[in-house]
Amino acid sequence: MTGDERRLSILRLVISFGLLTLLGIVFRKQLGACFTTVRNAEVHFLLLALLAYILFIWISAWRWQVLLTAQGLYFPSWYLARVFVLGLFFCKLLPTSIGGDVMRIAYTTKPTKGAEAFSATFLDRLIGFESLSFLAVVTALFVAMQRADALSLGGNRLTGFGVVLFLFAIFLLLFLFTMVLLNEASFRFLSSLLTKLDRRIPPLHRLTELLTRAYQAVQQYRHRPLALFLSFLSGIGVQAALSLAWFFSARAVMAKVPLGYYFIFIPLLNIVVNIPTIGGLGVREAAFVLFFTPNWLPGHLGKEQALATSLLFLALDLAFALLGGLFFAFMRRAGKEQPVSEPECLTYSVSGGREKQKKED
C-alpha cells in the first residue's frame, strides 16, 4: 500500500467511525430504547427484508450480465451474483482504495477483453445512478401531486415540486453526461487530446493507450441501445428492491412511514453514501435518521426507531459482505473453461436487436 493509499484509508476510518461516534453522542439518550427495539424486532419482517436484499443482488447481477454480454463476455448469472457479493466485501469491510468495482472487473476480465470488462462495470455503475435518480423523481412527483406540503428537503427551503425539480436536475445531469460520453464527436475530441499528451509526454504512453482502449469499449454501447435500455430498466428494479429491504427493516420495529417515501429517500441515501468512508458506514445511518425523523413526514420514525432500523439494515449488509469474503477465499475465477453455454447467451447486434447464439460442435 502506497503512502497516499494509507492516508486515504485512515481518512475513511476517521470519517466512518467519527460519524458513528457523533450519532452515538447525539442520540445517547435513545440508545437504550434503540437496543430494546432491535431485540423486539418482528422476525417475519426481517425475513422479508432478507428476501428483498437477495432480490437486489440477483437483479444487480442480471443487469451487469446484460452489459457484459453486449461486449462478448459471457458468464452465468449465478457466477456474477457471487462476484457481486464478493465486491460487497471489498466495498464495505476493507478500509482500502480497492473497491468492489475493481474486483468485479478483475473477475470478469478475459484475455484481450480487459477494456470491455471495465466498460461494462463502469456503465453498470453510471446507469445505476440514473435509475435511482429517475425512481426518486417519479415517486417524489407522485407524492407532491397528492400533497405538496408533505415533502421537503433542507427544512422548509425546498418543498413539494421544488424537491421534484431538484431530483430531476440530478437525473438530467447524469443523463446528459452519459449522452456526451457516448457521443462520437466527444470521443474524437478526447482521442486527439490523448494523442497530443502521448507525444509530449512519452512516459505516459501506457496510460493514454489504456484510456483510449477503455473509452473505445464504452463507445461500443452506442450500437447496443437494447443493452443500455435493459440496464436502465433493471436498475429501477435494483433500487426498488433496496428500498423494500429498508422498508421491511423499518416495519420490523413498527415503523409506519408509507412505502412511497422509501422509494424517494433510499435512492438519495444511496447517492450520499458515496462519500469516502468504509462502505458508507456512518454516513448511511446518519442520512437515514435525517430523512425519516422530520415531523412533516407521515408516520415519521422516532429517533430510537430510526437508529434501530439502521442497525438492522447494517447487520443485513454486513452479513452479505462477510459472505462475499468467503467467496473471495474459495471461489475460482471464471476462465475460458467456465463461460455460459452459448445457447443461453444473448448477443446484441449493431442495430440493438438480440439473437440466440447457435452452439458449435
Side-chain angles (χ1 to χ4, degrees):
M1 185 183 293
T2 66
D4 289 340
E5 290 176 330
R6 190 176 296 108
R7 284 189 289 272
L8 181 57
S9 297
I10 293 173
L11 177 62
R12 292 185 179 195
L13 283 168
V14 170
I15 293 175
S16 291
F17 290 102
L19 283 170
L20 287 176
T21 302
L22 181 61
L23 276 175
I25 293 173
V26 172
F27 299 109
R28 59 187 180 279
K29 294 182 180 179
Q30 289 82 26
L31 286 179
C34 169
F35 291 127
T36 300
T37 302
V38 169
R39 286 195 296 270
N40 295 328
E42 298 186 26
V43 176
H44 63 283
F45 279 120
L46 294 179
L47 290 176
L48 288 173
L50 173 64
L51 291 175
Y53 200 96
I54 293 173
L55 181 62
F56 149 70
I57 291 172
W58 196 259
I59 298 175
S60 298
W62 183 82
R63 67 188 295 266
W64 184 28
Q65 184 185 41
V66 168
L67 294 171
L68 286 167
T69 300
Q71 291 283 35
L73 292 165
Y74 308 113
F75 297 94
S77 55
W78 168 236
Y79 172 79
L80 293 177
R82 285 180 291 158
V83 175
F84 185 86
V85 174
L86 184 154
L88 294 179
F89 171 72
F90 283 87
C91 280
K92 300 183 183 302
L93 292 180
L94 295 184
T96 70
S97 59
I98 302 176
D101 287 343
V102 174
M103 299 306 297
R104 290 169 63 192
I105 294 170
Y107 274 74
T108 52
T109 296
K110 291 186 178 181
T112 73
K113 286 282 189 177
E116 287 76 8
F118 166 82
S119 67
T121 305
F122 172 74
L123 281 178
D124 178 74
R125 177 68 69 178
L126 176 59
I127 297 175
F129 278 121
E130 293 175 11
S131 299
L132 71 88
S133 59
F134 178 80
L135 179 63
V137 168
V138 172
T139 51
L141 179 61
F142 175 78
V143 171
M145 291 176 65
Q146 299 296 313
R147 183 183 169 190
D149 62 345
L151 188 62
S152 68
L153 291 175
N156 294 320
R157 292 188 295 274
L158 193 62
T159 61
F161 289 102
V163 174
V164 176
L165 291 175
F166 171 73
L167 296 173
F168 181 73
I170 295 176
F171 168 73
L172 186 61
L173 285 173
L174 290 170
F175 179 77
L176 290 176
F177 175 72
T178 304
M179 292 299 98
V180 171
L181 190 67
L182 296 175
N183 183 266
E184 187 175 1
S186 300
F187 173 68
R188 290 198 300 266
F189 175 73
L190 181 61
S191 296
S192 65
L193 285 181
L194 291 174
T195 301
K196 292 178 182 178
L197 184 64
D198 188 26
R199 290 172 180 172
R200 294 186 179 183
I201 312 177
L204 293 181
H205 172 72
R206 179 61 176 165
L207 176 61
T208 56
E209 183 183 31
L210 288 173
L211 289 174
T212 301
R213 285 188 58 218
Y215 198 7
Q216 284 176 335
V218 170
Q219 281 280 302
Q220 293 301 313
Y221 284 99
R222 290 193 301 113
H223 308 296
R224 276 77 171 175
L226 180 60
L228 296 176
F229 176 73
L230 289 175
S231 177
F232 174 78
L233 199 61
S234 56
I236 296 174
V238 167
Q239 295 305 319
L242 266 183
S243 299
L244 283 172
W246 276 100
F247 172 72
F248 288 127
S249 297
R251 286 301 304 273
V253 296
M254 305 300 291
K256 302 297 183 182
V257 176
L259 177 60
Y261 288 94
Y262 289 85
F263 290 145
I264 297 170
F265 290 123
I266 297 306
L268 289 177
L269 183 149
N270 290 334
I271 294 175
V272 172
V273 297
N274 285 278
I275 294 174
T277 57
I278 304 174
L281 186 64
V283 176
R284 176 180 50 238
E285 290 72 28
F288 185 82
V289 172
L290 176 66
F291 288 152
F292 285 89
T293 56
N295 292 332
W296 63 263
L297 185 67
H300 67 277
L301 279 66
K303 293 179 180 178
E304 67 280 356
Q305 282 182 310
L307 286 172
T309 301
S310 297
L311 290 177
L312 288 172
F313 188 85
L314 176 62
L316 182 64
D317 221 22
L318 293 181
F320 278 94
L322 289 172
L323 179 62
L326 292 177
F327 287 154
F328 177 66
F330 298 107
M331 192 175 77
R332 184 178 60 177
R333 295 190 191 186
K336 292 181 179 180
E337 75 286 356
Q338 209 177 9
V340 159
S341 60
E342 290 188 1
E344 300 175 21
C345 297
L346 292 176
T347 56
Y348 291 81
S349 64
V350 173
S351 63
R354 61 181 183 178
E355 56 186 9
K356 289 283 185 178
Q357 279 194 331
K358 296 180 179 180
K359 186 174 182 180
E360 298 177 0
D361 295 328

